[in-house]
Amino acid sequence: MSDTCHELLLRLAGRLPDDLLWRFRDWAATDAVAVLARALPRTLLHDRIGLTDYEQRLLADALVPHGADRSAISSVKGLDELPESGYTFSPESPDRVSMGDSATVVLGATLRGRLGVGEVRSSWRLGGGEPRRLILVTATTGAARLTGELQRVLRALGEHDPCVEVLPAGLDLPPYHRAALAASELVCTGAEADGHLVPV
């Protein structure tokens, strides 16, 4: 279930507000899925965020067993295809001030050579308000738990709404993540030699 929930939340990056998305991911990582099962469908309906057929199945599979309202899930607007995100990405901070220097050092120390982790990359999201730093990590196991861990690290370093995208190896990535990866730079690598995000 946590894999299904994690994939759904991953696919909602760039569509849900950052302040909600990190909290939903924290709940998924800490087994507060019953709370997520009530909150996420309501948020999708309130903010009129549509889902593809595949995402609708993920939503039902992940949350109905934990008490989500089936009628709320079936009322979420359907999409034929994912909309354009409206964001652009850059490997460098647009203001050349890297609030991420300390984050890069800490993430490197935390994830370098770590089992289950491939590449750790950084990208800056532009458009829709203040530039936001995204951390993109490939993982072979425990993606939801790793997301929660890294969000807590970044919050301790001062990022109020951390944007952490832990990408399970082999996942067909949404356009948002493909665009972010295309404009990213390497922070460090874990122990998984085949966990490359960007072809070399």
Side-chain angles (χ1 to χ4, degrees):
M1 187 290 305
S2 67
D3 290 346
T4 304
C5 191
H6 179 77
E7 182 180 351
L8 174 64
L9 293 173
L10 193 72
R11 295 177 65 84
L12 289 170
R15 294 154 68 191
L16 274 178
D18 296 329
D19 62 334
L20 292 177
L21 187 57
W22 88 262
R23 187 170 306 281
F24 290 166
R25 287 174 169 171
D26 191 59
W27 289 341
T30 57
D31 296 325
V33 185
V35 179
L36 181 60
R38 290 189 304 273
L40 180 55
R42 281 199 313 254
T43 299
L44 295 172
L45 288 169
H46 180 269
D47 293 355
R48 299 173 195 246
I49 296 171
L51 300 179
T52 64
D53 287 346
Y54 177 67
E55 292 167 341
Q56 284 271 9
R57 286 193 299 277
L58 289 175
L59 181 66
D61 292 349
L63 300 183
V64 166
H66 298 277
D69 182 339
R70 285 184 184 274
S71 64
I73 287 177
S74 64
S75 298
V76 173
K77 181 174 74 170
L79 295 176
D80 291 330
E81 59 186 31
L82 291 176
E84 293 293 322
S85 73
Y87 294 115
T88 57
F89 298 89
S90 169
E92 296 179 356
S93 169
D95 57 9
R96 302 277 185 200
V97 176
S98 182
M99 68 153 276
D101 280 350
S102 60
T104 300
V105 170
V106 172
L107 290 172
T110 303
L111 298 175
R112 187 172 288 111
R114 184 162 168 175
L115 291 175
V117 173
E119 286 188 342
V120 180
R121 303 187 71 87
S122 172
S123 181
W124 288 86
R125 187 184 73 197
L126 312 174
E130 290 291 313
R132 297 300 311 273
R133 183 179 189 164
L134 272 67
I135 300 299
L136 304 125
V137 182
T138 40
T140 56
T141 60
R145 283 191 319 277
L146 182 58
T147 301
E149 175 189 344
L150 297 181
Q151 286 185 158
R152 287 187 289 278
V153 167
L154 292 175
R155 281 178 60 81
L157 294 172
E159 289 193 33
H160 185 64
D161 307 322
C163 296
V164 176
E165 305 298 325
V166 177
L167 311 169
L171 184 72
D172 182 22
L173 296 178
Y176 176 89
H177 297 92
R178 288 198 300 269
L181 287 170
S184 66
E185 64 180 5
L186 185 67
V187 173
C188 69
T189 55
E192 303 303 320
D194 61 348
H196 294 292
L197 291 169
V198 176
V200 289

